Amino acid sequence: MINLISDTVTKPTPEMLSVMMAAEVGDDVFGEDPSVNVLESKAAKMFGKEAAMFCPSGTMTNQIAIKMHTQPLDEVICDHYSHVYQYEVGGYANNSGVSMNIVPGKYGKITADQIAQAIRPDYDWLPISRLVVLENSCNKGGGSYYTCDEIIPISGLCQQRGLSLHLDGARLFNVLVETGESTHQVGALFDSISICISKGLGAPVGSVLIGSKEKIRKARRIRKAIGGGMRQAGYLAAACTYALDHHVEDLKIDNARAKKIGELLNRQAYVESVRPVKTNIVVFSLADKEDPKSFLDKLKQHEIGAVQFGPHEIRFVFHRDLHENDISKVEQIISTIK
Ligand SMILES: *Cc1c(COP(=O)(O)O)cnc(C)c1O
């Protein structure tokens, strides 16, 4: 099957597997796994931050970030499409006892003005606005992204108003290969950053939360409390370090393929519209209120897997486990499917 369901389906390469097999490991709960320590210091340094912490998932890094920046009854401001709001089971309420102040952005992006308006005045009966979460790239926004220039006013506002700013950077590297901006530039704008290495970068498991020494110390306690302390996690961390060293540039190929397929979809009569394709995600809606399920069935008959992404929307995600002939086949099928 040609799997366009997600970039999480990517599997380790033989080279990555051999690096994993050879990894030096220890007990990371005691801070004694050398391969985890290598990954954590590499990630912290990349973003110009003091510390980092390895976790099994991006949901965990985001949930820990929310908890480390807030107190119960505080409020988090984010776009209505945000992963932390949409796809983390409402964990913010359960894990942190906070509420969400949802801002309707454009393709998942919100502005400093919108945030300024959302910040609560200081009354006994209102939650305290404490944290802003941005997502870059934005999954539900169709892979849209913020440039650093767009984030600077948001970062400035948060500083001025005493709010923390967290980045859900699950697919941040898909953005940076497009904009040419550096991880240091991004790091300077946020209090904490979460990156996923198990998506387009191709590691089997792993996300990293990056921030100040003090915040990451707190984060380690929260991780342990929710059962995320891992022991010989170095086998996984070694895969993540390998991915950061060898797979980042390849994301350009995924982005370019998504653009090509997005343009082709735009020319098909059965497609109503395609969200602007900016990175490796293509989200499109079907014309004539066609049921996405029947369209997905047709794709499946041609051995193409994808997911429904809204009442009339379909999502395709491009990733490193697709070959050039898979892309040709997708082009051929979407041009002829009825
Ligand atoms: C995938 C993803 C995450 C984390 O997902 P996990 O499956 O928990 O690793 C977080 N944010 C965004 C935007 C994502 O796409």
Side-chain angles (χ1 to χ4, degrees):
M1 193 181 66
I2 299 175
N3 198 332
L4 306 179
I5 288 171
S6 176
D7 43 10
T8 54
V9 302
T10 46
K11 292 179 182 162
T13 60
E15 295 80 10
M16 183 183 277
L17 282 171
S18 65
V19 167
M20 293 170 72
M21 293 292 282
E24 214 188 311
V25 296
D27 189 330
D28 181 50
V29 170
F30 295 111
E32 284 171 2
D33 186 302
S35 299
V36 171
N37 293 342
V38 165
L39 172 66
E40 290 178 344
S41 47
K42 179 186 178 69
K45 213 164 148 197
M46 270 177 107
F47 287 87
K49 297 282 191 210
E50 290 171 339
M53 178 184 71
F54 185 50
C55 281
S57 74
T59 298
M60 188 180 280
T61 46
N62 280 336
Q63 288 298 312
I64 291 173
I66 291 172
K67 197 167 175 65
M68 80 185 184
H69 289 301
T70 61
Q71 304 271 350
L73 303 183
D74 285 348
E75 179 181 79
V76 178
I77 297 171
C78 66
D79 179 83
H80 62 157
Y81 279 174
S82 301
H83 196 277
V84 291
Y85 176 60
Q86 296 274 355
Y87 302 121
E88 298 184 9
V89 212
Y92 56 88
N94 187 54
N95 295 322
S96 302
V98 297
S99 51
M100 285 278 175
N101 188 342
I102 300 310
V103 178
K106 193 166 177 203
Y107 299 122
K109 292 166 58 185
I110 54 178
T111 64
D113 279 349
Q114 285 180 301
I115 296 166
Q117 280 174 35
I119 296 172
R120 305 281 192 166
D122 181 15
Y123 292 120
D124 285 355
W125 53 89
L126 295 177
I128 297 173
S129 305
R130 190 81 73 184
L131 171 66
V132 174
V133 177
L134 301 184
E135 188 174 310
N136 209 19
S137 66
C138 179
N139 172 27
K140 203 173 165 64
S144 58
Y145 61 76
Y146 295 88
T147 61
C148 285
D149 277 348
E150 291 172 305
I151 300 169
I152 288 167
I154 297 174
S155 180
L157 172 74
C158 289
Q159 251 170 12
Q160 187 197 343
R161 302 294 298 271
L163 277 73
S164 298
L165 183 59
H166 171 69
L167 173 64
D168 177 355
R171 297 189 179 84
L172 178 65
F173 292 98
N174 287 86
V175 177
L176 300 185
V177 297
E178 282 297 304
T179 62
E181 293 163 335
S182 72
T183 43
H184 264 251
Q185 277 172 283
V186 175
L189 298 171
F190 291 91
D191 297 294
S192 58
I193 296 155
S194 159
I195 55 169
C196 288
I197 308 168
S198 60
K199 293 196 166 164
L201 290 174
V205 173
S207 287
V208 182
L209 180 64
I210 301 151
S212 68
K213 222 171 172 174
E214 182 203 343
K215 280 283 190 281
I216 296 300
R217 177 87 212 284
K218 195 170 170 187
R220 286 185 71 89
R221 297 182 71 93
I222 299 167
R223 183 183 65 176
K224 194 72 179 88
I226 60 175
M230 296 184 287
R231 303 295 178 172
Q232 284 76 48
Y235 294 113
L236 299 173
C240 291
T241 301
Y242 179 87
L244 288 172
D245 285 339
H246 296 94
H247 290 174
V248 173
E249 282 302 303
D250 293 346
L251 297 173
K252 280 185 186 164
I253 300 169
D254 305 338
N255 292 354
R257 286 172 168 175
K259 258 172 222 162
K260 197 160 106 177
I261 298 293
E263 279 161 22
L264 188 59
L265 281 168
N266 232 335
R267 298 202 291 271
Q268 307 306 315
Y270 61 81
V271 172
E272 185 178 79
S273 65
V274 182
R275 292 203 191 143
V277 180
K278 301 289 188 184
T279 51
N280 67 324
I281 297 175
V282 180
V283 175
F284 60 98
S285 56
L286 298 169
D288 306 323
K289 308 244 176 296
E290 185 183 349
D291 180 10
K293 284 194 185 66
S294 70
F295 186 78
L296 288 172
D297 278 345
K298 283 186 254 174
L299 285 177
K300 210 170 180 181
Q301 281 162 22
H302 295 285
E303 307 259 301
I304 297 174
V307 289
Q308 181 170 353
F309 213 56
H312 304 291
E313 287 84 21
I314 305 274
R315 184 184 78 169
F316 288 175
V317 185
F318 293 84
H319 55 77
R320 58 180 301 109
D321 282 11
L322 298 165
H323 301 286
E324 202 48 50
N325 48 355
D326 296 329
I327 302 300
S328 311
K329 176 156 183 220
V330 171
E331 287 178 310
Q332 185 223 323
I333 300 301
I334 62 176
S335 319
T336 51
I337 205 169
K338 287 259 171 34

